[in-house]
Amino acid sequence: MLVVPKISARPGLRAVAALPTALALAGAFAIAGPAATASAATITVAGTHPDWAAASADRGAVAATSTVDSTVYLAGKDAAGLNAYAAEVSDPSSANYQKYLTPAQFTARYGATPAQVAAVESWLRSSGLTVTSVDQHAITARGTAAATEKAYSTKLDEFSVKGKEFRAPTGDVRVPSTVGGAVLAVTGLANMPETVKPASLVGQVTTPSVPGISGVKATQTKGSDGSVFLGPTSCSAYYGQLKDKTDPAFNGKADNPYAVCGYVPTQLRGAYGVTGTGLTGKGVTVAIVDAYGSPTMEADANQYAVNHGDKAFSKGQYTETVTPAQWTDESACEGPAGWAGEESLDVESVHSMAPGAKIHYYGANSCNDPDFLADFTSIVDNHSADLVSDSWGGVIYSTTGDEDASVLAEYTQVFEQGAIEGIGFNFSAGDCGAEDPSTACGSSDTSTTPQADFPTSDVYATSVGGTSLAIGKNNQAEWNTVWGTDAWVLSATKTWQSAGWQYGGGGGTSASFAQPWYQKGVVSKKVSETLPDGVKVASPMRVAPDVSMDADPTTGFLFGMTQTLPNGGTGYAESAIGGTSLACPLFVGLQADAMQSQGGRPIGFANPAIYRSAGTKAYTDVTSGGAGAKAVNLLPAYNGYPAIVFNFGDDGLLKAAKGYDDATGVGTPSPAYLWLRARW
């Protein structure tokens, strides 16, 4: 096991362990304990004491008889070899490129041995804990606080954070040296919830950051397909179709275009070069992972497809793994209703880009990390998908407590297993730029410092950022610019009043993950060694996003779902929506088409191939100039609320530039992407 050094701490930040590229081979973050020897008999497991559990916040010991559930994640028999092979099998320049393993082969080569599992079980039981579940990845145990303290050689105290008390160990966990090599991480001793949320869905019905406009509900109208439409009644079918002739000029320019009503499948397939290829993603299975599940999801997706000229799912094309009886933390996670829009957007946008692909929806039992990890583990252990789309995430450095380093390590391990099996994990980059806490957006996301989101910034995740995309009358892409939005509200005096920066595509240089090999030579030294707040670091770090697609809600997607309508009834309705919650499933759908184009050969972890082809005609480079960079569009006054003007191209601390940039990655797939991708 490797000792993991820490990067230098910044004020207000926990220094998260980052493994130097030379040691990690793939440049991956790793917490591969032990970090230090505590005595001849025990070994310290790094990252198990959260920094929010400071001595100044200690409120005393937990009750000795209270019940504690803990989980020991297993490192497997060859953690270094796993890390190395995950890089080799994904690297087009490696002799092992695309020599994927089956789940059984992976377990035989890298999984925990029966002897390791038995040793960890024996240690936990001998400490007075009851083992409640065992698999090749983890062992879960339950016991009193007193027995748990004995097992992990640490005290458990209560700590006050933001007026609430949470349990945590007073120091890092120590495990017997006889099992130290088998332990990747330990979780559950701290009980502060580590939740994530959808990538801040934004749409035209609600504009959550605009003062005085929050919570706007649209008048119920009918769309061109006859379905209920929620949104402003003056909107364009394609970019620039309708112009505002009634409101005052903005910055000296009149007749500004109305925002689109929401692009439909034929427009997006045209803009990204799918139309005319004959590709539908047939033969590919996409897993979509969100929390909970909508009972009307398949019916809504079928209704949406038929409304817009596509076929409904055929029998068996759409499947679900959803267990409502096991759902937990619904209040803290915004519940099934809070995730229904995300689920509908994800399923419908993948189906729009790849109408022949199978979709397997996984509804995690909460928005907590362990429940998402359980679904990811199921996917890789059963190889139940070729591509995974995830439109959620969160900040690592939070006002409610930083993400535990051990949790990051658990995600990385399962992503590496996916890479070795030829399964690609894709994540939205976030909708709050660099999560600047000085903005309303960053503050709402509980960010304590500008940062890249997680899991999108993991070395083995493909991070999908956002653009604003103008699609013309003939379904052609007219221009792309970085998605980042300022707003102006029309006042009672008929003047435009600034409402400030609203939101934009996520990204930035990570403070937690060392630079991966695939970004070398593509990401500039200036970008990779400068954190979003301007702090310089000693060595290059991982930068997100990797690639970008349409995310701007004013050039967004028309989606449909069963919901409460403005008239108080319940029914299916459609509205425009955006965010990198849209960009990620659009990219995954495009990847499904690309996989079909190469005869079903898995794409696997896509980043090495993405960076190898950076600068080619496969991508449209998104810069700070060009058409669209100075354009605006407009939402008209409706339902008693004033008109709003939105601009394009301002992503806060993240800047679009020639070549790779931290706002759009290598760029956005061009109409030639599929044609060129099939020849890689």
Side-chain angles (χ1 to χ4, degrees), residues 73-440:
Y73 285 87
L74 303 173
K77 66 170 67 73
D78 184 8
L82 184 157
N83 184 258
Y85 197 71
E88 293 168 7
V89 77
S90 307
D91 188 347
S93 65
S94 168
N96 286 322
Y97 181 50
Q98 295 188 337
K99 292 183 179 179
Y100 301 121
L101 304 183
T102 66
Q105 290 170 328
F106 175 89
T107 299
R109 186 180 297 188
Y110 300 113
T113 66
Q116 288 175 318
V117 174
V120 172
E121 278 194 85
S122 177
W123 152 57
L124 293 171
R125 294 183 195 279
S126 67
S127 301
L129 302 181
T130 300
V131 172
T132 56
S133 68
V134 180
D135 61 34
Q136 64 172 322
H137 298 281
I139 299 174
T140 299
R142 174 174 295 169
T144 64
T148 302
E149 289 176 330
K150 175 185 175 183
Y152 297 111
S153 299
T154 185
K155 284 186 62 185
L156 296 177
D157 282 5
E158 295 285 351
F159 295 85
S160 178
V161 181
K162 294 290 184 179
K164 297 181 180 180
E165 290 194 358
F166 301 99
R167 182 188 69 227
T170 58
D172 275 334
V173 163
R174 297 196 304 275
V175 301
S177 57
T178 53
V179 301
V183 176
L184 172 71
V186 176
T187 64
L189 302 186
N191 66 353
M192 178 185 285
E194 294 173 334
T195 61
V196 300
K197 64 178 183 178
S200 304
L201 290 172
V202 287
Q204 296 177 17
V205 174
T206 58
T207 51
S209 300
V210 180
I213 308 298
S214 179
V216 172
K217 292 186 177 181
T219 302
Q220 182 174 324
T221 59
K222 291 288 185 179
S224 59
D225 58 15
S227 62
V228 173
F229 176 72
L230 304 180
T233 53
S234 295
C235 57
S236 296
Y238 55 87
Y239 187 79
Q241 179 201 24
L242 300 179
K243 303 293 181 66
D244 174 31
K245 302 287 185 180
T246 60
D247 295 308
F250 179 79
N251 285 346
K253 183 180 178 182
D255 298 343
N256 290 301
Y258 285 123
V260 297
C261 308
Y263 295 135
V264 298
T266 51
Q267 291 175 293
L268 290 163
R269 291 198 294 265
Y272 289 110
V274 182
T275 303
T277 65
L279 297 171
T280 64
K282 185 177 181 180
V284 180
T285 300
V286 174
I288 293 172
V289 182
D290 289 318
Y292 311 120
S294 166
T296 62
M297 183 62 256
E298 185 173 10
D300 289 345
N302 285 336
Q303 181 67 60
Y304 179 81
V306 171
N307 282 0
H308 299 289
D310 286 340
K311 294 180 179 179
F313 286 116
S314 60
K315 185 178 181 180
Q317 188 181 0
Y318 175 84
T319 56
E320 291 183 351
T321 298
V322 180
T323 53
Q326 299 176 38
W327 289 350
T328 62
D329 296 316
E330 293 182 38
S331 177
C333 295
E334 301 181 9
W339 283 79
E342 179 67 71
E343 180 183 348
S344 298
L345 171 62
D346 293 351
V347 171
E348 290 166 12
S349 51
V350 168
H351 190 53
S352 294
M353 292 297 284
K358 291 183 177 181
I359 293 178
H360 188 152
Y361 175 77
Y362 287 82
N365 289 328
S366 76
C367 65
N368 298 306
D369 289 319
D371 287 320
F372 284 116
L373 284 163
D375 281 333
F376 288 161
T377 297
S378 175
I379 291 168
V380 296
D381 283 351
N382 297 288
H383 202 125
S384 56
D386 304 295
L387 300 161
V388 186
S389 181
D390 307 279
S391 290
W392 46 267
V395 296
I396 293 177
Y397 309 112
S398 169
T399 57
T400 59
D402 299 343
E403 184 82 67
D404 288 348
S406 56
V407 174
L408 274 62
E410 294 154 21
Y411 276 104
T412 297
Q413 187 187 62
V414 75
F415 296 161
E416 288 181 331
Q417 181 175 347
I420 288 173
E421 294 179 8
I423 302 170
F425 284 85
N426 304 265
F427 284 85
S428 53
D431 295 349
C432 197
E435 298 286 4
D436 185 349
S438 70
T439 66

Side-chain angles (χ1 to χ4, degrees), residues 572-650:
Y572 174 87
E574 297 181 352
S575 58
I577 201 165
T580 56
S581 282
L582 166 63
C584 183
L586 286 180
F587 181 69
V588 171
L590 191 66
Q591 290 290 79
D593 296 328
M595 185 170 160
Q596 181 192 9
S597 76
Q598 57 189 35
R601 176 167 47 89
I603 289 175
F605 175 51
N607 287 12
I610 288 173
Y611 285 87
R612 186 182 178 92
S613 59
T616 71
K617 292 183 179 180
Y619 304 100
T620 298
D621 191 13
V622 182
T623 66
S624 59
K630 296 182 179 180
V632 300
N633 59 8
L634 184 143
L635 292 181
Y638 68 101
N639 205 26
Y641 291 87
I644 310 174
V645 163
F646 296 98
N647 70 347
F648 299 104
D650 179 10

